[in-house]
Amino acid sequence: MTKRLSASIFARTSCSCIGLAALAAGAGLGASTAQAQEQSASATDTDQLGGPNGETRPASSDPQTIVVTGSRLSQAGFDAPTPVTVLGAEQIDRQGASNVAQVLNDIPAFRPQSTPSTTAIFLNNIGASTADLRGLGANRTLVLIDNRRVVPATVAGSSFAPAGAVDLNLVPTSLIKRVEVVTGGASAAYGSDAVAGVVNLILDTDLEGIRASAQYGVADAGDDDEYVLSLAGGSQFAGGAGRIVAGVEYVNDKGTGDCYSRSWCAKSYNTVSNPARVGGQAGTIIMPNTRVALASVNGLIIGSPLRGTEFNPDGTTFQHDYGTYYNAGLFQSGGGDPRNAFYEGFAISSPSERINSFAHVEYDLSSAVTLFAEGSYGRATAHTIGAQRRDLANRTITRDNAFLPASVAAQMDALGIAAFPMGRIWNDIGPTLGSVKRETYRFVGGVEAQLGSGWSLDGYYQFGQTDYHQSSANNTINSHMNYALDAVIDPATGNAVCRAVLQGVAAAQGCQPLNPFGEGSPSAEAIDYVTGTSVQDTTLRQHVASLTLHGTPFTLPAGPVALATGVEFRRDSASGTADAISRALDFYTGPGSAIDGSMNVWEGFVELGAPIAPGLDLNGAVRLTDYSTSGSVTTWKLGGTWEATDWLRLRVTRSRDIRAPNVFELFGPPQSSFQSILDPRTEAQVLSSVLIGGNPDLLPEKANTWTAGIVFQPNVGTGNLKLSVDYFDIKLNGAVSTLGAQVIVDRCEAGAADLCTLVDRDAGGTITQVRNYNLNLNTLITRGFDVEAYYSVPLSAFSDGMGGNVSLRLLSTIVDDLITEDSSGTSVDRAGMNGSPVSQPSGVPRYIINGYLSYSNDPFAAQIQVRHISGGRYNTSLIGPDEDGYDPALPNSISDNSVGAWTYLNLNASYDVWRDGERNLQLFGVINNLFDKDPPVDLPSSFGPTNNVLYDVVGRTYKVGVRFKY
């Protein structure tokens, strides 16, 4: 049976120079401690030595040797200069994770931009979890399964999950052996999309026997129930010439209640505009108990001499309580409706149900040739409560409206008013009811062959398909709302009728007049007329063919030179259908038209690894890529490692990396949503339609990447100490992204004329629409450090009577810059930005520290996990009282722009009820957010009063379960 090199490093994940904490290898983390695991191309299973908890280690006199890999080379003993982080199956089990993304997001280099806590408010891609390295976006992190690409599973929309990304939920965790994370540019080795790095899921295709598990989880608040079942098995056949492994996993996450199910969220913090600087305060004030000031559930007159008049269902009126309101913007503090309409209804953590299955079979035709095939199927479904319709200051009610209360009509006549503007929150129509179904199929077939004299060949063909269905019931239809609200008295019958029907407008046939005055006033017939179901079906397909040659062309005095060269072909396509109303962009929120586009990619690459002198290796790679949509581009990498002593290793890499726009970024049709925007012209908050969509004129992104690091492993006597520090510098030119509606409006007002073409205003100057299309932005830059410290020691070193092992591991990433610079040269640095302001992506803290303290003494193991998030700013585009240069008169002044440091504590433990060699029955438990710490509540975002990307919004949760191996 042929084997591929799969080497990993003592996890150099991220760490911070500011603290210490760690994971244990001897304490049961096994491969997840990211200890070196090097397997030569000719190694057999018997070459592996079992660690104290079943982890595999290289058969070597020094099993703790640090190995740095991350290339296509398969020559044993060669160390690539690119840092690689390894996450093992044991840590996934320890945390009771139902998908690998939950554990990956604990690595500080990842920004958890797409999780159940960030997808609940959005319909599209609900239930998807993606990998976002360095905060550069999940579309710049390449996800592989056993070094092979995976068909994308996400579609375009307003969610934080970018289109064309791999959904990690659809990978069965029961069969994951380990995850290798290459941080830094890797396009020359792995191809397009690997700008931020690579996540390579290594599956356990050598599994022998059966493993099964069952677990249940629940939040302390009484919701977020989760059920997880998994079964996997493997066996040999044909006298050992063949091997088969298969697994299936079922996860049912019930999700949580809405914002008002948590006391911290019910405080309803948000921004209140203060353009006149009343009381000498800032232009934007973060305040509690915010409510909508431009509409109400009963209907609110927001202009004319009747401003502030609100309607009861019986036709009477009362004066709206404005609480604290400075006569501008979207929100007031206090008064108004019982709840903030922007926070109610949708779950703070989305529900989803999924099933994943995988099978792999291989057969040795001879001692040198192995055929293999594998297939997988995953299905994820999710249902969510979306937003109710909110008409904010954009409805005009005329004097002849059929439902106008007589008392108001009399006032209008007395004041000579022909019409007034009205805002309405349509709770009585109800929220949209979203449904998503995502099915992914994948087939791979290939061959691995040993050619002799140190040469090998492997090739494969892969086909993947994702069928994505999205529907949104009870979705209001804009044109129908316009017709139904303009109701008058039919002179022939004396009954209410839609004006357009009287006028013979063909498009208004079937219109039912809608009464907007007072909550509960719309008739069932009117609600049926103004609502519908938006539907979009999308099919994503991917074909990949690859052939790679590995070998040793010649030998230098310091050792053999390793070579890898090959060719690859890939075709990505997306097509689908949508209902007629969605295609016309006539739903309140909708997926728009269906996509239809494809692209072909041809690639050829060569990589060399050369030992220049004892302990000194150089590595170089070049890849030529030709895109059917944008032509040819070349990527390259040059790096080296120097083992200065047996305890000190230096490494450096310089690379040119690229990412071509995917089919959604190129061909995605316009889609609509509504976002809150602070208009710099009026310094007032408005709710505007925002269109997102593709751009066929996009060009490939080009990145220049530097990484440099030091790895220490000194001899400290008792115990084992390791430390790695790596610097990264990624400068991405022509980054494909959206500026965000807020940034477009701000830059337009500041004089960027090209961006003003993307902003529409009505005759009164109010923003009505922003087109937030994909653009090749000027520059995206990130710089910082990753650090890891690790120490483990057997307790017997302190006393002969003490058993077990204790280990400490610290991971941290320090971010100096995360800069987006647009075409005008204006830049925004989101490093140190802990907020995710409305219509903007989340920033990243200055540093995050993840610490693990682990203890293991068979049959018991336990671990304490500490996650520390540094303090920072809510929005780096604003300025608060504690910052230099603050003046409340500044247009970007805010009452509070700071957030303190935040720390969470998690606990897990396991106990082997029965063990016989590798067979065992284990009970386990997990408590996340042990002290039930609330998130900061004054960081308003699209999700609510906090940043769901960085902070736990569910609260303390419990998981218990049982595992079985035989």
Side-chain angles (χ1 to χ4, degrees):
M1 169 182 167
T2 60
K3 298 276 187 178
R4 283 196 195 84
L5 173 71
S6 185
S8 333
I9 164 189
F10 141 67
R12 140 270 157 233
T13 326
S14 353
C15 195
S16 172
C17 296
I18 306 176
L20 246 237
L23 251 194
L29 295 183
S32 67
T33 61
Q35 292 175 332
Q37 296 184 30
E38 185 181 53
Q39 179 177 311
S40 74
S42 60
T44 65
D45 290 343
T46 57
D47 291 327
Q48 302 295 326
L49 302 178
N53 292 278
E55 74 269 26
T56 57
R57 292 176 177 169
S60 164
S61 59
D62 180 12
Q64 301 297 326
T65 299
I66 296 171
V67 180
V68 184
T69 78
S71 81
R72 301 293 290 263
L73 301 176
S74 60
Q75 175 64 42
F78 173 76
D79 297 335
T82 308
V84 178
T85 298
V86 177
L87 171 71
E90 187 114 9
Q91 184 62 22
I92 298 174
D93 288 345
R94 271 186 173 274
Q95 293 183 212
S98 58
N99 69 68
V100 68
Q102 293 174 0
V103 184
L104 282 176
N105 284 332
D106 284 340
I107 298 175
F110 285 88
R111 178 177 62 174
Q113 190 90 331
S114 176
T115 67
S117 295
T118 64
T119 57
I121 188 175
F122 306 107
L123 173 57
N124 64 294
N125 300 322
I126 186 173
S129 293
T130 59
D132 180 1
L133 270 169
R134 304 284 185 224
L136 296 179
N139 50 359
R140 297 184 184 92
T141 300
L142 178 62
V143 175
L144 307 173
I145 295 181
D146 285 333
N147 297 301
R148 293 182 282 269
R149 286 181 178 262
V150 184
V151 62
T154 60
V155 300
S158 55
S159 76
F160 275 26
V166 175
D167 181 9
L168 294 172
N169 281 337
L170 297 177
V171 180
T173 58
S174 57
L175 284 174
I176 292 178
K177 188 174 185 178
R178 67 182 179 275
V179 183
E180 298 179 355
V181 180
V182 180
T183 52
S187 295
Y190 296 100
S192 177
D193 303 338
V195 173
V198 177
V199 174
N200 191 10
L201 308 178
I202 307 298
L203 302 185
D204 190 359
T205 57
D206 296 322
L207 174 65
E208 293 278 349
I210 297 174
R211 64 171 67 140
S213 68
Q215 73 181 56
Y216 169 71
V218 66
D220 199 57
D223 53 16
D224 205 30
D225 299 76
E226 183 183 57
Y227 304 86
V228 183
L229 299 171
S230 69
L231 175 66
S235 179
Q236 298 184 1
F237 63 91
R243 292 156 297 280
I244 185 170
V245 61
V248 62
E249 186 173 75
Y250 171 78
V251 179
N252 188 356
D253 183 351
K254 298 294 188 179
T256 67
D258 70 1
C259 176
Y260 289 91
S261 68
R262 302 297 192 271
S263 59
W264 61 265
C265 196
K267 295 176 182 177
S268 306
Y269 275 82
N270 212 310
T271 55
V272 175
S273 300
N274 181 27
R277 305 304 192 270
V278 175
Q281 300 180 87
T284 299
I285 306 173
I286 297 180
M287 303 182 73
N289 301 315
T290 57
R291 301 293 186 265
V292 177
L294 298 180
S296 74
V297 297
N298 290 300
L300 174 66
I301 299 177
I302 52 85
S304 81
L306 298 179
R307 177 182 179 271
T309 301
E310 200 167 341
F311 300 88
N312 286 313
D314 61 2
T316 60
T317 63
F318 63 97
Q319 281 302 113
H320 178 79
D321 180 1
Y322 278 99
T324 300
Y325 185 58
Y326 302 107
N327 296 316
L330 182 59
F331 294 112
Q332 62 185 60
S333 177
D337 291 334
R339 291 183 171 186
N340 188 324
F342 285 80
Y343 290 172
E344 64 179 333
F346 63 89
I348 58 175
S349 183
S350 63
S352 64
E353 183 178 18
R354 64 184 185 271
I355 185 167
N356 312 313
S357 60
F358 174 88
H360 173 95
V361 61
E362 58 186 54
Y363 184 80
D364 299 334
L365 292 179
S366 68
S367 59
V369 179
T370 299
L371 299 179
F372 70 91
E374 62 187 38
S376 63
Y377 168 76
R379 184 187 71 224
T381 58
H383 306 278
T384 184
I385 297 175
Q388 73 281 70
R389 185 182 184 96
R390 309 161 190 147
D391 286 331
L392 307 180
N394 58 349
R395 287 294 170 192
T396 299
I397 303 298
T398 57
R399 167 62 183 82
D400 59 350
N401 187 281
F403 300 107
L404 187 70
S407 60
V408 177
Q411 288 180 287
M412 295 179 70
D413 291 341
L415 295 170
I417 299 172
F420 58 77
M422 176 178 168
R424 181 68 146 82
I425 296 169
W426 298 94
N427 281 2
D428 38 13
I429 293 179
T432 55
L433 304 174
S435 178
V436 165
K437 181 180 181 181
R438 184 186 303 106
E439 294 181 286
T440 300
Y441 312 81
R442 183 170 177 266
F443 167 80
V444 184
V447 61
E448 299 172 337
Q450 296 293 329
L451 305 179
S453 301
W455 289 87
S456 64
L457 182 72
D458 64 76
Y460 71 90
Y461 165 75
Q462 171 187 293
F463 171 75
Q465 178 171 312
T466 295
D467 293 329
Y468 179 91
H469 171 81
Q470 171 182 315
S471 64
S472 180
N474 204 47
N475 200 350
T476 53
I477 304 168
N478 294 326
S479 60
H480 287 200
M481 287 290 294
N482 293 336
Y483 290 137
L485 282 170
D486 189 16
V488 295
I489 298 297
D490 185 344
T493 66
N495 297 323
V497 65
C498 302
R499 189 192 305 270
V501 172
L502 283 181
Q503 295 172 342
V505 178
Q509 293 304 308
C511 177
Q512 296 293 318
L514 179 65
N515 183 355
F517 303 110
E519 186 175 19
S521 56
S523 68
E525 294 79 11
I527 292 175
D528 286 343
Y529 170 72
V530 301
T531 58
T533 299
S534 59
V535 178
Q536 187 182 78
D537 291 292
T538 304
T539 297
L540 312 177
R541 292 189 179 94
Q542 184 182 77
H543 298 267
V544 181
S546 174
L547 188 65
T548 304
L549 178 68
H550 302 273
T552 305
F554 55 88
T555 300
L556 297 176
V561 172
L563 168 72
T565 185
V567 293
E568 296 178 355
F569 170 79
R570 184 172 79 255
R571 177 177 174 82
D572 287 302
S573 64
S575 60
T577 60
D579 65 273
I581 299 175
S582 291
R583 294 196 301 270
L585 297 179
D586 199 20
F587 276 115
Y588 178 61
T589 59
S593 299
I595 188 173
D596 186 10
S598 65
M599 68 175 180
N600 298 332
V601 185
W602 283 96
E603 297 184 282
F605 68 90
V606 61
E607 182 174 4
L608 285 171
I612 304 303
L616 177 61
D617 292 334
L618 291 183
N619 173 235
V622 62
R623 176 180 291 255
L624 177 64
T625 304
D626 182 73
Y627 295 97
S628 60
T629 54
S630 56
S632 298
V633 65
T634 301
T635 58
W636 51 266
K637 176 185 72 171
L638 182 64
T641 63
W642 178 39
E643 190 169 350
T645 69
D646 59 358
W647 53 267
L648 174 64
R649 181 188 300 273
L650 307 178
R651 58 195 179 206
V652 63
T653 302
R654 171 74 169 87
S655 65
R656 163 62 62 87
D657 301 289
I658 60 99
R659 188 190 74 88
N662 61 40
V663 291
F664 285 98
E665 292 166 325
L666 290 166
F667 308 114
Q671 300 184 22
S672 63
S673 66
F674 282 84
Q675 297 179 9
S676 175
I677 300 171
L678 178 63
D679 187 350
R681 184 176 299 180
T682 63
E683 297 188 26
Q685 209 82 18
V686 297
L687 190 69
S688 172
S689 170
V690 176
L691 295 183
I692 58 175
N695 179 356
D697 297 325
L698 293 173
L699 299 174
E701 305 170 341
K702 296 181 181 180
N704 296 315
T705 303
W706 280 97
T707 64
I710 304 175
V711 183
F712 298 93
Q713 189 175 334
N715 184 353
V716 293
T718 301
N720 181 22
L721 176 64
K722 304 174 185 178
L723 174 67
S724 68
V725 180
D726 286 280
Y727 171 76
F728 61 88
D729 183 331
I730 303 174
K731 184 176 183 179
L732 185 68
N733 293 314
V736 177
S737 183
T738 57
L739 282 172
Q742 184 67 65
V743 175
I744 291 173
V745 171
D746 289 346
R747 298 290 181 267
C748 166
E749 200 63 22
D754 57 331
L755 296 181
C756 289
T757 63
L758 304 176
V759 181
D760 292 343
R761 295 177 180 268
D762 62 17
T766 301
I767 297 172
T768 58
Q769 188 177 86
V770 179
R771 289 171 293 283
N772 188 25
Y773 294 147
N774 290 317
L775 301 170
N776 279 111
L777 300 180
N778 189 22
T779 305
L780 191 67
I781 301 170
T782 184
R783 304 184 185 96
F785 294 87
D786 293 328
V787 186
E788 175 170 353
Y790 170 80
Y791 180 73
S792 68
V793 62
L795 293 181
S796 59
F798 303 103
S799 172
D800 292 339
M802 298 178 68
N805 295 273
V806 171
S807 70
L808 186 67
R809 185 185 183 197
L810 174 75
L811 313 173
S812 178
T813 291
I814 305 165
V815 183
D816 293 328
D817 297 299
L818 182 60
I819 299 171
T820 300
E821 185 177 285
D822 66 24
S823 56
S824 70
T826 305
S827 64
V828 176
D829 189 353
R830 293 189 173 94
M833 183 173 120
N834 291 33
S836 180
V838 175
S839 79
Q840 296 186 43
S842 172
V844 295
R846 188 65 65 183
Y847 65 87
I848 294 177
I849 301 172
N850 248 39
Y852 305 80
L853 176 63
S854 305
Y855 169 77
S856 178
N857 187 15
D858 289 340
F860 175 75
Q863 182 183 85
I864 297 174
Q865 178 186 358
V866 178
R867 182 172 179 84
H868 177 78
I869 303 170
S870 70
R873 297 297 173 191
Y874 162 57
N875 186 343
T876 52
S877 298
L878 304 179
I879 184 169
D882 62 332
E883 298 177 76
D884 293 338
Y886 170 79
D887 185 334
L890 290 171
N892 62 338
S893 63
I894 188 170
S895 62
D896 182 5
N897 200 30
S898 64
V899 57
W902 231 254
T903 303
Y904 295 102
L905 188 68
N906 304 326
L907 175 67
N908 63 68
S910 63
Y911 185 83
D912 289 341
V913 178
W914 167 77
R915 175 177 286 277
D916 180 13
E918 292 298 312
R919 301 178 297 175
N920 75 319
L921 178 66
Q922 184 182 84
L923 302 178
F924 66 92
V926 180
I927 304 177
N928 290 322
N929 195 352
L930 183 63
F931 298 116
D932 199 22
K933 187 177 181 66
D934 294 337
V937 297
D938 54 354
L939 304 177
S941 67
S942 297
F943 321 109
T946 194
N947 182 2
N948 296 25
V949 173
L950 296 179
Y951 301 99
D952 175 33
V953 296
V954 176
R956 182 165 49 227
T957 59
Y958 310 90
K959 297 180 181 181
V960 293
V962 58
R963 298 188 186 98
F964 174 72
K965 295 179 183 179
Y966 192 83

